[in-house]
Amino acid sequence: MGKSPEAIPNRLERGEPADVVIMVGYALDELIKEGKVVPGSRVELADLRIGAVVRDGAPKPDIGSVDGLKQTLLHAKSIAYSHSASGVYIERELFKRLGIEDQVKVKVKMIPKIPVASVVANGDYEVGFQQVSELRPVKGAAFVGKIPESMQSVTRFAAGIPVGAQHPIEAKPWLDYLASPEVQPVVTSTGLDSATTH
């Protein structure tokens, strides 16, 4: 989404051919409302949850409970989080919900354009937060775990077929396949959560 030339709505507006769009669920709903994606073609694909990393070899903090997460944030020397939806949630809501906004504001940094785990891996930040699937592939960073479910901001990914798609008949079974039980082990291996299990 967004206003950049590469954003899916702008590409569809320009008439770029696409048989399928995969994106954040609420954004896909907007395209359906605007008549750009076929109503009824939406398929639920996966959920993204926020997790944390530390540098390889560093002690892994306890973030599995709300108090553990709060203590981790209070005691960390520096905290990085992403420029995406998860980072906006962390900055605007999570710190407030934990009651630590004032205590952490001097040591937090939103990281644009690059994986948060990369600035933790190189030692610039002690702990980093981003969607799990974005954290896991970065070498030099150790995955700690997901933040507690009561503090989560879950991002649903969904797919649909654009109005005017050249191959809508072929697109439908492919989307059904991506959402099928047989694909779920691949989905979960990437750090995503199956949309059907939550």
Side-chain angles (χ1 to χ4, degrees):
M1 286 306 280
K3 307 290 182 210
S4 73
E6 300 82 25
I8 289 172
N10 293 331
R11 294 170 73 176
L12 292 176
E13 197 69 44
R14 287 196 300 269
E16 283 190 34
D19 291 318
V20 166
V21 291
I22 298 174
M23 59 200 307
V24 176
Y26 68 80
L28 183 66
D29 289 340
E30 283 301 309
L31 292 182
I32 292 169
K33 278 187 208 153
E34 292 170 13
K36 294 176 182 169
V37 170
V38 177
S41 70
R42 178 179 164 137
V43 174
E44 310 304 310
L45 294 181
D47 288 335
L48 260 130
R49 284 175 168 74
I50 299 169
V53 290
V54 293
R55 195 173 189 182
D56 265 350
K60 290 185 178 181
D62 164 28
I63 63 162
S65 67
V66 173
D67 190 58
L69 175 61
K70 183 176 179 177
Q71 294 308 316
T72 295
L73 291 165
L74 287 172
H75 292 104
K77 292 182 182 71
S78 55
I79 303 161
Y81 52 92
S82 86
H83 193 257
S84 67
S86 68
V88 171
Y89 164 75
I90 288 167
E91 183 178 80
R92 294 187 186 162
E93 294 184 48
L94 180 65
F95 297 147
K96 280 184 190 150
R97 289 176 68 192
L98 290 169
I100 59 171
E101 192 177 18
D102 291 339
Q103 296 98 306
V104 299
K105 65 181 172 190
V106 295
K107 59 182 178 178
V108 298
K109 176 78 171 168
M110 187 178 267
I111 308 297
K113 298 184 181 175
I114 59 171
V116 168
S118 64
V119 298
V120 173
N122 69 16
D124 288 348
Y125 293 87
E126 187 177 330
V127 62
F129 294 87
Q130 194 168 8
Q131 284 105 342
V132 175
S133 59
E134 303 299 310
L135 296 173
R136 301 273 293 271
V138 179
K139 288 185 174 27
F143 180 63
V144 175
K146 296 173 189 169
I147 67 172
E149 195 65 21
S150 63
M151 292 286 136
Q152 273 293 352
S153 172
V154 180
T155 303
R156 167 64 53 95
F157 273 89
I161 301 170
V163 170
Q166 293 174 350
H167 306 97
I169 292 164
E170 293 84 355
K172 179 71 175 124
W174 187 66
L175 288 182
D176 291 341
Y177 171 71
L178 290 180
S180 70
E182 64 190 295
V183 174
Q184 298 317 299
V186 177
V187 169
T188 56
S189 74
T190 65
L192 296 164
D193 293 312
S194 174
T196 57
T197 60
H198 292 278

